[in-house]
Every structure is written in C-alpha cells, then in structure tokens.
Amino acid sequence: MATKITIQTRNLVKILAIMILILILIIRGGSATSHSIDPKVIEMSLFIDKLKLYGRDPRIRPSQSATNITLQIALIAVGPISMLTTSVRCDVILRQWWTDPRTAFDNKTELNFNGNPSHLIWTPDSYVTNAIKISSPKGITENTRTKIGPNGAVYLSTRLTVEVACNMNFHMYPMDKQECSLNLESYAYTAQEMRLRWRKKSPIEIEGESLSVSEYKIVSIKAVTASKQYLGTQNFDMAKLTIKFSRLLPNYIYHIYLPGIFLVLLSFCTFWIPEKAVPARVTLIVTNFLTTMFLFGNIGNSVPKVPYITALEVFALVNAIWIIGVMLEYVFILRFPEFGKKGLVSFTEPNGPVTEKNDQFWEKPDTDKALKIFKGCIAQVMAQKAGNKGPHIVDKFSRIIFPITYSSYLIAYFAYCFSRD
C-alpha cells in the first residue's frame, strides 16, 4: 500500500514539473514575439543542437584514413629562462586546422563560437610532450575559439602558457648558447591515424614587433616535423618548435671579466717594487688574491649544480693561479737573492800580485788589465754609494714573460669560447 502511494506521489510531481515547464515556455514565447530574432542566429543555434543531438560520436575521428592537422603557433612572450630548473616559459596561441565532413552544413557563413568544442565535434588530442607546467589564461571567458566552415573545415585556436624543459649545456657559461623546443604530439593516434604538419605559409607568427628575453637574445626560431617511435613499433608524428638563445655578455664583462683581469694586471705591478720592500709586495699580492676569490665566490650561486666545470669557473681558477705564480716568483727572489748576479771585480789582480823578476828589473805592467780593475772599482763604489744594486734578474724577466703569457691566455680563452656553438 505504501509503495502505491509513493508511485502516485512521484507521478504527480512529474506532471506538476511538466506543467511548470510548459508555462515557462509559453511565457518565453510571448516575450520573444515582441523582439525580432536574426534568422542566422536561429540557424546556427539549430546547427549546434543538431551536433549535440544527432551528430556522430565526437570521440571518433572524421574518417578511417589519416586525419591531416595543420599547425601554426603565434608567440606572444618568451621567458623567463630559469637556469636552476633548466626550463623556459612560453605564452603561445596554438592554431589547428582540419576537415571533418560530419560538421558540414548548408550555410554560406562560418559558424564562430568560443569555448572548448570537444563535447560537440572531434578535436585533435595534441599535447606538449616536454611540458613541465601548462595552463590556459582565463579572462572574462575561456581563451578558445572555434570556427566551422560550410564544407566541414574546422579551425581551433587556444591560448596557452607552457613551461617546457630544456636540455641546457653550461660548459661555455656565460658564453653559452641554449636551444629550447616545444614538442607537439598526438597522445592516442599514431602517424597512420593523425598527421601533424606545419602551415606552409608563416608556420610561426610573432605577436607584436619583437620578442625580448631577460639576459638572452633570440638567435633563431624554426619549425620542423619529425617522427618519434614508442615501444619499438608505434610511430607518432611530432611538430617541433625550436628557439635558439644566446646569452648577453655586457653584464658579465663589466662585473666579472674586467675586474678579474685588472686584479691580475695589478699583481704584475709588484715586479717594479724593490725586492727589499717585503710588506708592500706581499700585501699587494695577498690582497689581489683574496679579492679575486671574493669576486668569483658568488659564481656557484648563479650556476646550477652541474657535474662539470664551466668556462667562467676556469677563468676564475686560472686568474688565481696567475696571482699565486706572482707570489711564488717573489718567494724565489727572497730565497735566492744572488741568483743570476755577476760578482763584482776584485781589487786583486786575477793572476796574483806582481812579483819581482830580479833585484834590478820589474815586469812591464799590463795597462788594459789595470783599466778593467779601475772601472770595476768605480762601479762598485757607485753602487754602494747609491745603496741600490738594481732589480733582480727574475723580476726583469717577469716584467716581460708574465704580461705576454697572460695576454696570450686571454686571447686563446675568448677565441675558444666564442668559436664553440
């Protein structure tokens, strides 16, 4: 008995809901008659309803043969580039064209609407294979546009913010060049089912006058297609957008390279300081060494933890070695002060004193030898009077050898770094 009452109650509720719905439709119909409606709007609405009610399953591709998808990417912004996460952020508009005969309709105008049309028609399942994070910026409405032509040509445009992973190489940092790519593939359809092709005319568009990236300069942008194999047998089409970056050097030259070079050259000035001025020479060398270590101490914070040494770290290490070489040169002078110095001429004749040949006659003196002894005596007296014996021979050679070898090293260093691509 209770079951019959429950069924009757449900039936009454259904009848009441139908009556309310009919009343609402009557009220809406009455209000609509007072306004003129564009027949094209009605036709498009009916077409969308047809796609909803009588269209084919949107999960099934348009045909049994391969579906050709034409791609175009509009670059809105690129950057920042993160060295710590080895990634780059790109704001793009992804545009796709294909043909679906099931969406054809009898109308000369295109059907244009916003929002994701995947619940109405079949859409490609393109995705970014190397994306770390991907999102669609949302304003007042969803940033997706769909156009359907009378012949079944479909156009889909979506704005995306993608952070893609880059395989960065920091061997030549900060004179390195990086390549980052945005790779598009189909997730479910193989190359025999869905073909990805770039648009022949302007596959890449740049929104605005130019693109700028902090600390980098964009060298080139190119779009290529390739084939990628999974599980040894399945081939998938891949559309690849590659951007090549080159790091801007002025900041590194003014704040790292020039100060480092000046510190090494300043340490070379010790070769002109007298060898007896121990505090002056040692203080200058040690100060330059500590300043060099402090200057390059923050390099490790800006470079990711890589298992190899970078070009900037090589430059810092060699500069430190050069300053240590200046210190070792001075230690050698202190340890061997008489190294390379010729002895002063003695007052004594080299062959001994003049001897008496007999009691009446003396040997004729050698005037040339006497003149040499006299000149040596004068030189010794003048040197002792001045209190300065002149620069050490090692300092004399160091004044030439150190600057020449360091200049050669700098030329070879920068030539090698700039020649590497």
Side-chain angles (χ1 to χ4, degrees), residues 210-343:
S210 61
L211 291 175
S212 60
V213 187
S214 176
E215 197 180 340
Y216 286 88
K217 177 181 68 174
I218 297 178
V219 178
S220 63
I221 304 175
K222 60 182 180 179
V224 296
T225 54
S227 179
K228 197 169 184 179
Q229 192 176 68
Y230 293 95
L231 301 177
T233 56
Q234 296 181 342
N235 291 324
F236 289 79
D237 273 3
M238 180 176 66
K240 189 174 183 180
L241 173 68
T242 303
I243 306 176
K244 190 173 183 178
F245 304 94
S246 177
R247 196 183 300 273
L248 298 175
L249 286 178
N251 182 59
Y252 293 90
I253 291 176
Y254 296 140
H255 294 90
I256 295 180
Y257 281 106
L258 285 181
I261 294 173
F262 289 155
L263 288 172
V264 175
L265 296 179
L266 186 61
S267 66
F268 292 167
C269 295
T270 59
F271 301 143
W272 281 265
I273 299 177
E275 58 185 275
K276 293 184 178 181
V278 177
R281 294 187 66 159
V282 172
T283 301
L284 182 59
I285 295 172
V286 173
T287 302
N288 289 342
F289 179 79
L290 295 178
T291 307
T292 301
M293 292 295 98
F294 176 79
L295 179 64
F296 294 100
N298 295 327
I299 294 177
N301 297 330
S302 59
V303 182
K305 307 302 180 184
V306 291
Y308 49 82
I309 188 170
T310 64
L312 187 58
E313 292 169 332
V314 170
F315 180 78
L317 180 61
V318 173
N319 277 15
I321 292 175
W322 231 275
I323 296 176
I324 293 175
V326 175
M327 174 62 80
L328 294 178
E329 185 266 354
Y330 186 54
V331 171
F332 180 84
I333 291 176
L334 294 178
R335 180 64 180 82
F336 304 100
E338 300 298 329
F339 179 80
K341 292 185 178 181
K342 295 182 179 180

Side-chain angles (χ1 to χ4, degrees), residues 93-107:
I93 297 176
L94 176 61
R95 297 167 180 158
Q96 304 178 84
W97 291 266
W98 71 95
T99 301
D100 190 348
R102 298 172 299 180
T103 61
F105 61 98
D106 298 330
N107 197 343

Side-chain angles (χ1 to χ4, degrees), residues 114-128:
N114 71 322
N116 190 346
S118 59
H119 63 288
L120 300 175
I121 60 175
W122 178 86
T123 56
D125 62 341
S126 305
Y127 79 107
V128 183

Side-chain angles (χ1 to χ4, degrees), residues 67-284:
T67 304
N68 296 319
I69 309 297
T70 303
L71 300 173
Q72 184 189 54
I73 286 183
L75 288 173
I76 301 174
V78 178
I81 300 175
S82 175
M83 292 193 299
L84 298 179
T85 59
T86 61
S87 63
V88 60
R89 173 180 168 176
C90 299
D91 290 334
V92 302
I93 297 176
L94 176 61
R95 297 167 180 158
Q96 304 178 84
W97 291 266
W98 71 95
T99 301
D100 190 348
R102 298 172 299 180
T103 61
F105 61 98
D106 298 330
N107 197 343
K108 295 183 179 180
T109 60
E110 293 179 328
L111 178 63
N112 188 8
F113 59 94
N114 71 322
N116 190 346
S118 59
H119 63 288
L120 300 175
I121 60 175
W122 178 86
T123 56
D125 62 341
S126 305
Y127 79 107
V128 183
T129 60
N130 59 336
I132 298 176
K133 183 180 179 181
I134 185 169
S135 61
S136 179
K138 293 183 179 180
I140 300 175
T141 57
E142 186 178 358
N143 293 337
T144 301
R145 180 189 182 190
T146 305
K147 289 198 302 183
I148 302 177
N151 60 347
V154 184
Y155 165 73
L156 179 63
S157 174
T158 307
R159 179 172 177 177
L160 301 171
T161 298
V162 187
E163 184 180 354
V164 295
C166 298
N167 187 17
M168 295 185 178
N169 189 330
F170 297 101
H171 279 96
M172 293 296 108
Y173 173 83
M175 286 163 281
D176 55 326
K177 295 179 180 179
Q178 306 295 345
E179 280 190 0
C180 296
S181 61
L182 190 151
N183 304 329
L184 289 169
E185 290 184 25
S186 169
Y187 193 85
Y189 302 109
T190 62
Q192 289 73 29
E193 298 171 326
M194 194 174 88
R195 308 299 299 270
L196 297 179
R197 293 293 180 267
W198 289 105
R199 192 179 184 184
K200 292 183 179 179
K201 184 179 180 181
S202 64
I204 303 169
E205 284 188 355
I206 297 177
E207 297 294 326
E209 297 181 356
S210 61
L211 291 175
S212 60
V213 187
S214 176
E215 197 180 340
Y216 286 88
K217 177 181 68 174
I218 297 178
V219 178
S220 63
I221 304 175
K222 60 182 180 179
V224 296
T225 54
S227 179
K228 197 169 184 179
Q229 192 176 68
Y230 293 95
L231 301 177
T233 56
Q234 296 181 342
N235 291 324
F236 289 79
D237 273 3
M238 180 176 66
K240 189 174 183 180
L241 173 68
T242 303
I243 306 176
K244 190 173 183 178
F245 304 94
S246 177
R247 196 183 300 273
L248 298 175
L249 286 178
N251 182 59
Y252 293 90
I253 291 176
Y254 296 140
H255 294 90
I256 295 180
Y257 281 106
L258 285 181
I261 294 173
F262 289 155
L263 288 172
V264 175
L265 296 179
L266 186 61
S267 66
F268 292 167
C269 295
T270 59
F271 301 143
W272 281 265
I273 299 177
E275 58 185 275
K276 293 184 178 181
V278 177
R281 294 187 66 159
V282 172
T283 301
L284 182 59

Side-chain angles (χ1 to χ4, degrees), residues 376-387:
C377 295
I378 296 298
Q380 185 179 15
V381 171
M382 295 298 294
Q384 291 177 354
K385 184 177 181 182

